Amino acid sequence: MAQKLVIIGAGMASGRMLEHLFEASPGAFDVTLFGSEPRGNYNRIMLSPVLAGEKTYEQIVTHDADWYASHGVTCRFGETVTKIDRKEKVIFTAKGATPYDKLVVATGSAPFIIPIAGKDLPGVRAFRDLDDVDAMVAAAGKPNAKAVVIGGGLLGLEAAAALRLRGMEVVVLHLMGHLMERQLDPAAGYLLQKELESRGIKVHCKAQTTAILGKDRVEAVGLDDGTVYPADIVVMAVGIRPEVRVATDAGLYVERGIVVNDQMVSSDPDILAVGECVEHERICYGLVAPLYDMAKVAAKTLLKQDAAFRPVETATQLKVTGVSLYSAGDFADGEDRQEIVLRDASAGIYKRLVLKENRILGAVLYGETGDGAWFFDMLRKGTDVSDMRETLIFGQAYQGGSPLDPMAAVAALPDDAEICGCNGVCKSKIVGTITEKGLTSLDDVRAHTKASASCGSCTGLVEQLMKLTLGDSYNPAAVTPMCTCTDLGHDDVRRLIKAKGLKTIPAVMQELEWKTSCGCAKCRPALNYYLVCDWPDEYADDYQSRYINERVHANIQKDGTYSVVPRMWGGVTNAKELRAIADVVDKFNVPLVKVTGGQRIDLLGIEKEDLPAVWADLGQAGFVSGQAYAKGLRTVKTCVGSDWCRFGTQDSTGLGIRIEKFMWGSWTPAKLKLAVSGCPRNCAEATCKDIGVICVDSGFEIHFAGAAGLDIKGTDKLGLVGTEDEALEVIVALTQMYREQARYLERIYKWAKRVGHDEIRRQVLDDKERRKAFYDRFVFSQKFAQVDPWSERVSGKDKHEFKPMATVEYAGA
Amino acid sequence: MDMNWIEIGDLSDIPLRGARCVKTPQGKIAVFRTAENDVFAIEDHCPHKGGPLSQGIVHGRAVTCPLHNWVISLETGKALGADEGAVRTIPVRNEGGKLSIALENLMLAAAE
Ligand SMILES: Cc1cc2nc3c(=O)[nH]c(=O)nc-3n(C[C@H](O)[C@H](O)[C@H](O)COP(=O)(O)OP(=O)(O)OC[C@H]3O[C@@H](n4cnc5c(N)ncnc54)[C@H](O)[C@@H]3O)c2cc1C
Ligand code: HEM
Ligand code: SF4
Ligand code: SF4
Ligand code: FES
C-alpha cells in the first residue's frame, strides 16, 4: 500500500516538490495537501504584476484542480494545521486528525508586522498572499484612494509601484537613509528614488513610524517627526520571518527556521521541511531559486534516493515595469573587500561590484542590467577576474574587442551559464531541450525546462536563446509586435514612452532597440501619435511620419487629387458660407460638390498645388479645416433639437457646436465621430457613433463605443448627467482616456472592449477626481493642437508640399 | 543612349525622409531624400494603381504608397514583400547639394 504523505503548506516549494515526486515515481505516495489559503498552489512571485493589474490571478496558478485530481492529491485548502503529534504520527486541523507516515513542513514565512499601536486595524495589510492583493485592489477602487507602504525594500517598492499603477496616491516610508540600503549605496538609492518620484510615488526616508491611526479602520500613519500621512490602506513590507510555530510546538529543533540536514530532514527522521521555513547551515532563504533546489532534494529523499542540498548564491530583480534593477550575492562591507562602481547619472546607470581576492562577491546593476547573467555566472563560479579588472564593470561586451550585440552576447555565454535564476536552468539545458523536443514556442520552453516560468525576468534571455537555436523560424507569440521593426507591442511601447520619458522618435527607436534605421510606414505614424499625445507641449510633430492626408490636411483620392471638407460647426451653415463655397467651386473648376455623411460639404477633385489657394479663399469666409482626413476629431452631427423640433428636450444643436468647438484639432488614435440628438428619436444617429449624446428631459445620456463601418454596433450607455457642462466634461474625459490608452488606429469600440466598459465608466464617470484630471490634460493639449492647419499653410508653412520641385519642359517650349 | 543631366534644385528643398516631385513631359518623377541623405528618383506612379509615390512615407531606402500601402524600393524601383511590380528608376546626381536627374532626351531643359 502506498505510504501516507502529508504536506503542510501549499506554496511554491511544496508545489515544486510534488512535481518532482510524481515525475519520478507516480503512485508511491498517497498525498494529502493542507494549506491555510483557500486555494491551491500559485506563483507567489507574480503577485506584484497581479497587484499592478498586468496579470490576473488565473494566469499565475501553477497547479489547478485537474492536476491535483490526476495525481490523486487530497486537497485540504483553507485548513490550517494547528498541531503535530509526533508520537502518534498525526496532525490536527480544526476539522480533526489526519495520520501520516511521512510529513513535509512547507509553511513558508510570515510577514513581520511592526508592533505599534493600530497595527491590527482593518486596512493594515502585509504583501504575502492573494488575500492581501485583493484587499489592496479593493482599496484602490475608491476614488482618490491613498496608500502608505512601510518598507522601501524589493517587496515594498513592488507594492508601491503596483498601487500607483492602480491610480492610488502612494507614499513609501523607509526607516533607513535611502531605498534598498542592503543592495544600493546612497547615490544609487537616490537614482531609484527619483525614478519612483517621477512616477508620482512619494518617498520618505528616515521615517520612524510611531502609530497607525484610525477608529474603525486605518485612516492615517504617524511618524516621530510629527508627519501624518492619510491612508486608506497601509502595506507593511518590512521583512519576513520563517513560519515555524507549528514545528516549534511539536518540539522539532528550530533556530530561526526549522533546522534541516543536507537531505532536508528535520530533527525527526519522518519529518522533512522545505522552503522559506527552513534553516540550513545557519542560512534562511527568501528567494525561490534555492527553495526549488530544496524541493528537488526533498523529493529524492522521500523516494530514498541520494541527494544533497548545498548553499547557493541568489540573484534577484526588482519587478517594476520600466525600472531595471538586478542584484546578486553579498554586499556587506569588509576590510578585505573592494568595490568597483560605475555611475552615469545622465543615462541613469549605476553598477557596483563587490570583490574579494579578485573574485566577485556581489553585483548590483541599475538602469542597464544586460550583463547580470554574466556577472552572476562568474560570481557563482568564483572566476578570477584580475585579468579584466580594468574593464570589468563595463560588461562582457568590452572584454576582447568590439562591443557585441545582445544576440552575440547570449551566444557567447558559456553552456553552463545560468539563464533562469529562479529555477536554476542553464543555457545548455534550454538549448538542448529546444532541439531535442523540437520546441517552437516560449510556452513550450517554459513547460519543458521551467525557464522563465517563475518571475519571468529572464524571458528576454530565453527568447534570445530560442532565436539563436531556431533561427528566424522563431517569432515570439506573446504579444503582437507593432510591426517588423520591433518585438514590442503597442501597449509596451506606450508604457515605455511614458516610463522612460522618451520624447522623440529617434529616442524611442534608440532606447527600445528598433531593428530598422528609421522605422516603417506602420510604426512611424503610431509613434508620432503617441508622442503628440503624451508630450503635447514638448514634442515637435514629425510631418514625415504622418500619412499624406494628415501631412497636407486634405483627403487623397484615387487619382491623386484631393478633397477639401471645411468645418460646418454642428452641421449648421448660412448664406455667406454657402456663397463662399460656390465661388471656390467656380474659381477652381471643382469637379464634384457633395454633401458628406458627416453633415458638411465636400469639394472633390482639387489638384494638390491648388490646395493653399482654395484654403485661402475658404479661410476668408471664416472656414477652418474640417479635419475629414484626420485620425482625430472629425464631426459632431446634430439634430435641430428644442429650438425647432416639437419633440426636442434640449438644445442639441447648441451642445453639438459647443463640443465641436471645444474638441476640434485634437488628435486621437483613430478617427473620432460624435453626434448629439435632441430626443430618443435620435435623428442625428448618435447611437452608432464613437461617442453620442441623447438628450432627455432629465439631462443628457452619454453613449459610447458604437460603430457604423465595416462593423456595425450600437453604442453602450455610459451614464446620465444633469447639465451641459457635465456632459462636456465626461465626453472630454472619455476622449482623453482613449487618447492615452488605445493603440494607434484602434477605434473606440475596440479599445473599450479590451479595457472593459465598466472600467471606463468607473474612471470617467464615477471617479470625479480622475475625470477632472483627464479633462485637464485634454485642455492642456488643446492649447497646442487647436491651430487651424489650413491658415498655417496659407501663410506659407510647408510650402514645399504643394509645389513641384522643378518643371522640366522641352527645350525652347 | 545620351544622358542629359538636368538640374532640379537643392538637396535642402526636400525634407529629410521626404520627397518632392518634378514635372516632366514624360510624367511626374518623385525625388526622395532618405534619413541618411541619400537621394533617389523614381517615377511618381505606383505599379499597383498609379498612386503618387512622392506622397508616401519614406523609411530606410523604401517608400510606402499612400493609396494601398505597397512598399517600393527606391534603389531598384521594385515592389518589396509579396507584391510584384516595378517602376522606372531615374539616375540622380548630388554634387555638393545640387541635384540633377538624367533624362533620355536632348530636347529637355529645366524651367523654374
Ligand atoms: C510579492 C512577492 C514577490 C516576490 N518576488 C520574488 C522574486 O521576484 N524572486 C524570488 O526569488 N522570490 C520572490 N518572492 C519570494 C517567494 O515568493 C518565496 O520565497 C516563496 O514563495 C517561498 O515558498 P514557500 O513554499 O517556502 O512558502 P509559500 O509560498 O509562502 O507557501 C507557504 C504556504 O503555507 C501556508 N501555511 C503556513 N502555515 C500553515 C499551516 N500551519 N497550515 C497550513 N498551511 C500553512 C501558507 O498560507 C502558504 O500558502 C516574492 C514574494 C512575494 C510575497
Ligand atoms: C480611404 C478611405 C476613406 C475615405 C477617403 C473616406 C472619406 C469620408 C469622408 C470625406 C466622409 C465625410 C466625413 C466628414 O464630413 O468629415 C466620410 C464619412 C464617413 N465614413 Fe469614410 N472614408 C474612408 C474610409 C472609411 C472607412 C474605412 C469607414 C468605416 C470604418 C468609413 C465610415 C464612414 C462613415 C460611417 C461616415 C459617415 C459619418 C457620419 O455619418 O457621421 N469611412 N468618409
Ligand atoms: S432627435 Fe428628437 S429632437 Fe432631434 S430632430 Fe429628431 S425628433 Fe427632433
Ligand atoms: S464607402 Fe467605400 S468607396 Fe465609398 S467613400 Fe467610403 S471607402 Fe470610399
Ligand atoms: S496605388 Fe500604390 S499601393 Fe495601390
Side-chain angles (χ1 to χ4, degrees):
Chain A
M1 210 190 100
Q3 280 204 306
K4 287 192 283 294
L5 172 63
V6 170
I7 298 170
I8 310 178
M12 298 194 68
S14 66
R16 182 54 64 89
M17 186 192 77
L18 285 176
E19 282 176 28
H20 288 302
L21 200 61
F22 294 140
E23 200 179 290
S25 182
F29 289 95
D30 194 355
V31 179
T32 308
L33 178 59
F34 287 90
S36 301
E37 293 181 64
R39 60 187 75 84
N41 306 65
Y42 60 92
N43 189 345
R44 192 174 308 284
I45 299 184
M46 291 315 247
L47 285 177
S48 303
V50 172
L51 181 58
E54 294 169 347
K55 279 207 163 28
T56 62
Y57 170 65
E58 287 68 34
Q59 288 175 306
I60 69 165
V61 169
T62 51
H63 302 83
D64 56 16
D66 286 347
W67 189 87
Y68 297 122
S70 69
H71 293 96
V73 177
T74 309
C75 297
R76 303 279 295 268
F77 300 143
E79 278 188 65
T80 300
V81 173
T82 49
K83 188 175 153 200
I84 305 172
D85 182 337
R86 290 164 53 198
K87 238 171 74 210
E88 300 299 324
K89 295 181 87 172
V90 286
I91 61 98
F92 293 89
T93 70
K95 291 199 182 144
T98 307
Y100 67 81
D101 297 315
K102 290 280 178 191
L103 181 67
V104 174
V105 183
T107 45
S109 314
F112 187 72
I113 302 292
I114 30 181
I116 47 170
K119 70 179 168 49
D120 297 322
L121 282 171
V124 180
R125 301 298 303 207
F127 184 18
R128 182 71 196 173
D129 60 27
L130 188 68
D131 297 327
D132 296 324
V133 169
D134 287 343
M136 289 188 246
V137 171
K142 271 188 29 186
N144 192 17
K146 298 180 178 57
V148 172
V149 175
I150 307 183
L154 281 169
L155 199 59
L157 296 183
E158 287 186 12
L163 291 170
R164 180 69 199 140
L165 274 181
R166 290 252 175 206
M168 292 185 97
E169 270 177 46
V170 180
V171 182
V172 174
L173 304 180
H174 191 54
L175 185 61
M176 308 306 284
H178 64 273
L179 294 174
M180 291 186 58
E181 77 288 347
R182 240 178 50 74
Q183 290 93 352
L184 304 179
D185 68 12
Y190 175 71
L191 266 184
L192 179 60
Q193 176 169 346
K194 258 196 358 200
E195 169 64 37
L196 295 171
E197 281 170 350
S198 77
R199 294 159 183 238
I201 295 171
K202 183 170 170 52
V203 177
H204 188 139
C205 289
K206 296 194 188 137
Q208 179 86 47
T209 309
T210 49
I212 297 174
L213 315 168
K215 241 177 80 178
D216 302 321
R217 57 171 289 121
V218 53
E219 288 164 20
V221 176
L223 307 186
D224 67 343
D225 64 6
T227 318
V228 174
Y229 288 110
D232 297 292
I233 192 144
V234 173
V235 182
M236 287 230 198
V238 292
I240 52 172
R241 54 180 172 70
E243 173 57 76
V244 294
R245 282 174 297 181
V246 74
T248 313
D249 292 349
L252 290 177
Y253 176 32
V254 175
E255 293 271 347
R256 225 151 53 85
I258 303 167
V259 177
V260 296
N261 62 13
D262 284 359
Q263 281 66 47
M264 308 314 296
V265 179
S266 73
S267 56
D268 180 328
D270 289 321
I271 302 182
L272 283 72
V274 290
E276 282 183 341
C277 59
V278 160
E279 177 173 329
H280 176 265
E281 297 190 355
R282 315 200 75 83
I283 305 173
C284 293
Y285 293 94
L287 293 169
V288 291
L291 310 187
Y292 286 166
D293 286 354
M294 293 181 187
K296 199 186 256 171
V297 173
K300 291 207 164 164
T301 304
L302 284 171
L303 295 169
K304 304 201 166 60
Q305 297 169 3
D306 284 340
F309 174 77
R310 295 307 312 149
V312 286
E313 298 290 351
T314 53
T316 187
Q317 305 213 3
L318 180 65
K319 299 190 299 301
V320 172
T321 309
V323 179
S324 331
L325 194 153
Y326 178 96
S327 92
D330 175 10
F331 312 101
D333 283 333
E335 290 273 302
D336 50 349
R337 299 182 171 191
Q338 302 100 40
E339 280 193 3
I340 306 179
V341 175
L342 171 80
R343 259 181 244 287
D344 182 345
S346 62
I349 290 174
Y350 165 86
K351 300 182 183 181
R352 172 173 171 228
L353 295 176
V354 179
L355 304 184
K356 180 177 170 181
E357 290 159 6
N358 286 319
R359 285 169 175 66
I360 302 177
L361 281 190
V364 185
L365 309 175
Y366 178 85
E368 192 185 282
T369 55
D371 282 314
W374 184 64
F375 287 129
F376 189 51
D377 190 49
M378 291 193 287
L379 184 153
R380 284 189 316 137
K381 290 190 190 143
T383 310
D384 187 328
V385 296
S386 30
D387 285 349
M388 45 181 163
R389 248 188 105 126
E390 298 300 306
T391 54
L392 186 63
I393 193 87
F394 300 112
Q396 188 177 19
Y398 284 81
Q399 313 309 323
S402 56
L404 298 168
D405 71 295
M407 284 295 277
V410 173
L413 283 175
D415 275 353
D416 59 349
E418 185 170 84
I419 302 294
C420 172
C422 293
N423 291 294
V425 189
C426 68
K427 178 178 162 187
S428 63
K429 166 101 194 246
I430 297 174
V431 173
T433 316
I434 293 172
T435 345
E436 206 175 294
K437 302 246 158 90
L439 307 181
T440 53
S441 75
L442 184 61
D443 281 344
D444 285 347
V445 172
R446 283 184 178 146
H448 283 97
T449 67
K450 294 270 182 287
S452 139
S454 292
C455 84
S457 49
C458 64
T459 306
L461 277 176
V462 173
E463 290 199 313
Q464 283 169 348
L465 274 181
M466 296 185 66
K467 212 152 196 153
L468 211 60
T469 318
L470 297 171
D472 288 338
S473 66
Y474 172 63
N475 100 45
V479 285
T480 319
M482 268 176 80
C483 62
T484 51
C485 305
T486 175
D487 295 331
L488 296 169
H490 283 271
D491 299 337
D492 291 320
V493 171
R494 287 213 81 166
R495 199 161 28 78
L496 291 167
I497 284 175
K498 280 299 230 188
K500 292 180 171 247
L502 307 176
K503 296 185 181 169
T504 63
I505 290 181
V508 172
M509 293 183 173
Q510 178 64 34
E511 286 279 323
L512 306 187
E513 297 175 2
W514 240 241
K515 294 186 279 191
T516 50
S517 66
C518 70
C520 72
K522 272 194 188 141
C523 57
R524 285 234 309 273
L527 294 180
N528 191 56
Y529 166 72
Y530 295 153
L531 294 166
V532 165
C533 174
D534 288 345
W535 319 108
D537 50 340
E538 294 174 70
Y539 177 63
D541 203 322
D542 177 21
Y543 269 80
Q544 298 313 130
S545 295
R546 285 195 175 271
Y547 292 126
I548 181 66
N549 286 354
E550 295 187 348
R551 198 157 79 227
V552 300
H553 295 276
N555 297 48
I556 194 166
Q557 305 294 322
K558 64 179 220 177
D559 60 355
T561 64
Y562 289 81
S563 81
V564 167
V565 186
R567 265 197 200 285
M568 284 180 177
W569 307 101
V572 175
T573 185
N574 57 37
K576 177 176 160 247
E577 286 184 354
L578 291 172
R579 210 167 272 127
I581 289 180
D583 287 344
V584 165
V585 171
D586 284 346
K587 180 165 163 192
F588 295 93
N589 278 321
V590 176
L592 181 69
V593 183
K594 185 178 178 314
V595 174
T596 73
Q599 297 189 344
R600 41 209 198 159
I601 292 178
D602 193 352
L603 311 178
L604 292 113
I606 296 177
E607 293 294 334
K608 193 178 183 192
E609 292 144 72
D610 288 339
L611 286 172
V614 168
W615 293 335
D617 285 5
L618 291 172
Q620 289 285 318
F623 281 116
V624 297
S625 166
Q627 272 128 346
Y629 45 80
K631 310 289 175 226
L633 181 83
R634 296 269 178 102
T635 63
V636 182
K637 302 211 300 183
T638 66
C639 74
V640 293
S642 58
D643 273 5
W644 298 90
C645 175
R646 63 203 161 107
F647 299 113
T649 61
Q650 311 276 358
D651 177 12
S652 50
T653 325
L655 176 58
I657 292 174
R658 185 170 164 200
I659 296 172
E660 190 168 357
K661 292 212 157 161
F662 198 88
M663 291 179 56
W664 73 272
S666 59
W667 299 105
T668 46
K671 55 187 170 185
L672 188 69
K673 297 175 180 176
L674 278 62
V676 185
S677 286
C679 83
R681 286 167 194 74
N682 193 13
C683 293
E685 297 162 343
T687 52
C688 62
K689 289 289 170 285
D690 297 298
I691 305 177
V693 180
I694 304 284
C695 302
V696 291
D697 278 326
S698 56
F700 304 83
E701 270 179 27
I702 299 182
H703 288 245
F704 75 124
L710 296 172
D711 289 335
I712 299 189
K713 192 179 156 300
T715 48
D716 256 18
K717 193 165 137 188
L718 187 69
L720 176 77
V721 297
T723 64
E724 259 193 24
D725 288 350
E726 210 181 338
L728 182 71
E729 187 173 304
V730 171
I731 290 169
V732 165
L734 170 61
T735 306
Q736 182 66 13
M737 182 177 174
Y738 166 60
R739 295 181 72 222
E740 290 175 10
Q741 299 186 358
R743 301 169 187 162
Y744 190 60
L745 299 186
E746 185 174 47
R747 290 292 291 269
I748 223 172
Y749 71 102
K750 293 200 172 152
W751 164 74
K753 189 165 157 208
R754 216 159 40 78
V755 178
H757 290 198
D758 289 340
E759 181 59 23
I760 294 173
R761 193 169 291 118
R762 189 176 75 72
Q763 296 203 17
V764 304
L765 198 69
D766 303 343
D767 183 341
K768 301 224 163 52
E769 194 127 329
R770 195 184 282 238
R771 178 210 293 180
K772 184 72 175 42
F774 277 128
Y775 177 87
D776 289 343
R777 287 201 291 276
F778 184 87
V779 170
F780 178 71
S781 97
Q782 283 296 79
K783 278 204 251 176
F784 310 94
Q786 270 190 348
V787 179
D788 176 32
W790 287 359
S791 63
E792 267 188 313
R793 276 154 192 78
V794 169
S795 24
K797 183 170 169 153
D798 290 342
K799 239 192 316 222
H800 63 82
E801 276 290 359
F802 305 101
K803 278 203 316 201
M805 186 176 185
T807 302
V808 178
E809 289 166 4
Y810 288 104
Chain B
M1 192 186 325
D2 276 328
M3 279 292 179
N4 196 11
W5 290 98
I6 297 160
E7 262 196 38
I8 53 168
D10 277 355
L11 181 65
S12 58
D13 294 340
I14 312 177
L16 212 55
R17 292 176 303 158
R20 297 285 300 273
C21 69
V22 174
K23 283 190 176 174
T24 80
Q26 302 170 359
K28 281 186 189 167
I29 290 170
V31 187
F32 296 87
R33 174 177 175 196
T34 70
E36 275 85 36
N37 274 320
D38 293 323
V39 182
F40 297 97
I42 61 179
E43 263 180 303
D44 195 13
H45 189 91
C46 177
H48 177 221
K49 292 194 174 177
L53 296 170
S54 58
Q55 319 289 295
I57 289 184
V58 182
H59 46 93
R61 297 179 156 212
V63 60
T64 296
C65 175
L67 291 195
H68 318 91
N69 295 329
W70 280 32
V71 180
I72 311 293
S73 159
L74 299 177
E75 288 168 298
T76 64
K78 290 206 173 80
L80 299 174
D83 302 315
E84 281 185 29
V87 291
R88 203 154 57 90
T89 59
I90 286 100
V92 238
R93 205 163 59 186
N94 176 0
E95 287 168 319
K98 285 258 169 276
L99 303 183
S100 327
I101 54 173
L103 293 179
E104 302 156 4
N105 194 321
L106 280 169
M107 297 288 285
L108 300 172
E112 210 186 5

